[in-house]
Amino acid sequence: MINFKSYFFFGIILVFLGFMVSVGYGAQPITLLTVRYGSYSEEQKTRVAFDFSDGLPQFNYNTDLEKGEIQFIFENTRAAKETLKTFLIQDERVDNLSLKEIEKGIEANIVLKVPCEIIEGKIQQTTLYFDLTENLTLADNSTSLSEETIGYGKITGKIYDNLSGKTISGVKISIVEQDQEAISNDDGSYFFPKIPVGKAILEFSHPEYDNESRMVAITENQETNLNIALKRAEGFTSPTPTAKPILTTPAPDSIPSTPSIDLFYNQEAIELFQLGEYHFQSNHFEEAIDAYQKAIEREPAFAEAYYKLGISLGKLGKPKDGILTLEKALSLDPFNASIYNALGAMYGMLQQYDQAIEQFEKAVDIDPQLSLAYNNMGILFGKLGDHKRALEVLKLAVQIEPESAESQGALGVAYAMAGQPHNAIKPLQEAVRIDPNYAKAHFNLGITYLWLGDFLRAKEQYEILKNLDAEMAQDLLIELQSMEGAIEQ
């Protein structure tokens, strides 16, 4: 009997899920779920955000310059448990934020350290945020580049394409209120040797990219580093990574981000995360790990960076370290199904199958449409010899995502391992139709044809495999010659 060798990859098939939020209006009072805040030292601003359920409330606010306070009123709103308290922000601009219930709804009171301007915004129908920027015309101790300054500092940095991670040459960098310009060189780097102490606004422009601007603080005799990732302008295509992508891991069309990342995370941390994404997609996991770790150093609550760091550690054969990192990601984002899916894969690598299945089940409890969790769970049931359950969950995976080559291939393997090679043919054929370069599916299809005695089609798969994976092709040839020899005898 043929030794059915499954080359099906048991690993993490990467899927990015945004943070789940509920959207809609209701007749009941809107609930204030959480309050978040972040400080941007380089841009000299503080952002305060209010997350609501069931839509956004009517609101108004008043600024009392004498008291140094801003009072917000959110009408027809109630507060979630433990929200009514004082938040000690205590950065350069804001001392604290306190909440209390009033007859109209909720009152939020912000105590300022310096006069601030307010810019408001919203995310879909779930979050209101307010950027508090120091008002230089009112603050007595403010420093402007137009004023006389004492001492100078330096600015240096690199400029990257936000999708590919490649450096960009030929970018013009101008400093607002200073008659200074620089052009990024071949490795994307730029340098300003003498900038007056204070605040500097840098503008980045290139004919193929959207313009960007950043504010930095210049310290006397210090070098300020500012790296930035630019977005390609509409009509231009970003350069692609030079390394061949992993066939079993579909690369995303763009660097993924979520509202939480865009709202609150340090800009340098985001750019380092994007650099890690480029290295990850290029199969350079050590470089990806370094970039993700640096992003976390700059933004310790960066759940997505912990998530990708954990996956990268698993890719390098360090599942125990991956589990510790993913548990940290889970503590920051406890309702992310993809993190549970990744944890399950790590436990599977350690052959701790019961714990792995438990994580996959948690993933589909949170997101019943996460086909990858069903896919990985089905593979594990197959490894445990529970072919009935393997087929059940893999059929669900294919039903949810019929154009997934990985799920179709796994279903084919499950049928074959359950002793149903006739039923294995169709999903394996679907797998190679969806992804003609999927070497493992070609191998398993060839083995299944051998099992059914169809040597001609098995040889066809061998010919295809020779151009995809020489080692797998050789293994299939050995099985083919063994079968033909047995028949001749």
Side-chain angles (χ1 to χ4, degrees), residues 203-223:
E203 293 186 345
F204 300 82
S205 61
H206 188 285
E208 297 181 8
Y209 290 84
D210 291 340
N211 293 344
E212 292 282 350
S213 62
R214 293 287 186 275
M215 178 185 287
V216 296
I218 309 301
T219 305
E220 187 174 5
N221 297 325
Q222 297 293 318
E223 184 174 280

Side-chain angles (χ1 to χ4, degrees), residues 1 387 391 412-424 451-452:
M1 183 177 177
H387 303 304
L391 289 170
V413 170
Y415 273 122
M417 298 297 287
Q420 303 177 41
H422 288 89
N423 291 329
W451 207 339
L452 295 171

Side-chain angles (χ1 to χ4, degrees), residues 64-113:
D64 188 330
L65 292 178
E66 292 185 1
K67 291 184 177 180
E69 296 180 353
I70 305 173
Q71 183 186 77
F72 296 84
I73 303 294
F74 301 105
E75 299 179 4
N76 193 32
T77 305
R78 60 190 177 191
K81 186 178 181 181
E82 298 182 356
T83 305
L84 297 175
K85 62 181 181 181
T86 297
F87 299 85
L88 299 178
I89 299 178
Q90 296 183 338
D91 63 6
E92 295 88 346
R93 291 157 295 281
V94 179
D95 183 75
N96 67 75
L97 162 66
S98 60
L99 297 173
K100 66 179 181 180
E101 287 186 336
I102 59 176
E103 185 176 351
K104 288 184 177 181
I106 293 177
E107 177 185 304
N109 195 62
I110 296 177
V111 178
L112 301 173
K113 293 183 177 179

Side-chain angles (χ1 to χ4, degrees), residues 120-311:
E120 64 185 72
K122 66 179 181 179
I123 299 297
Q124 296 179 348
Q125 292 295 329
T126 59
T127 301
L128 288 172
Y129 68 86
F130 302 90
D131 286 342
L132 308 178
T133 305
E134 184 175 348
N135 190 325
L136 299 179
T137 62
L138 297 176
D140 295 331
N141 60 348
S142 64
T143 301
S144 171
L145 290 177
S146 62
E147 299 173 359
E148 183 178 356
T149 57
I150 301 175
Y152 296 89
K154 303 175 183 179
I155 304 176
T156 185
K158 280 194 174 185
I159 305 171
Y160 300 91
D161 182 283
N162 80 315
L163 296 185
S164 71
K166 291 185 176 181
T167 55
I168 309 171
S169 62
V171 177
K172 183 172 78 171
I173 307 100
S174 306
I175 299 183
V176 178
E177 297 186 25
Q178 292 286 323
D179 189 20
Q180 295 199 46
E181 290 185 352
I183 303 294
S184 62
N185 61 23
D186 290 341
D187 68 353
S189 61
Y190 67 93
F191 179 60
F192 289 96
K194 189 176 181 180
I195 304 298
V197 170
K199 299 170 186 174
I201 300 176
L202 278 67
E203 293 186 345
F204 300 82
S205 61
H206 188 285
E208 297 181 8
Y209 290 84
D210 291 340
N211 293 344
E212 292 282 350
S213 62
R214 293 287 186 275
M215 178 185 287
V216 296
I218 309 301
T219 305
E220 187 174 5
N221 297 325
Q222 297 293 318
E223 184 174 280
T224 300
N225 184 264
L226 176 63
N227 297 329
I228 185 170
L230 299 183
K231 179 182 178 183
R232 281 266 173 172
E234 187 174 351
F236 291 95
T237 304
S238 295
T240 57
T242 55
K244 187 177 180 181
I246 310 166
L247 294 177
T248 50
T249 304
D253 296 329
S254 63
I255 300 300
S257 63
T258 68
S260 294
I261 293 175
D262 290 338
L263 265 177
F264 287 99
Y265 289 164
N266 174 280
Q267 183 63 34
E268 188 177 1
I270 295 173
E271 289 161 5
L272 285 164
F273 176 78
Q274 292 170 338
L275 184 61
E277 292 292 83
Y278 164 70
H279 287 309
F280 186 95
Q281 293 171 29
S282 301
N283 210 13
H284 300 153
F285 299 118
E286 290 183 355
E287 291 85 350
I289 287 171
D290 180 65
Y292 293 139
Q293 286 175 333
K294 288 178 178 177
I296 291 168
E297 288 174 3
R298 288 157 177 79
E299 190 62 67
F302 205 153
E304 190 79 3
Y306 277 107
Y307 168 53
K308 293 306 298 295
L309 174 60
I311 292 175

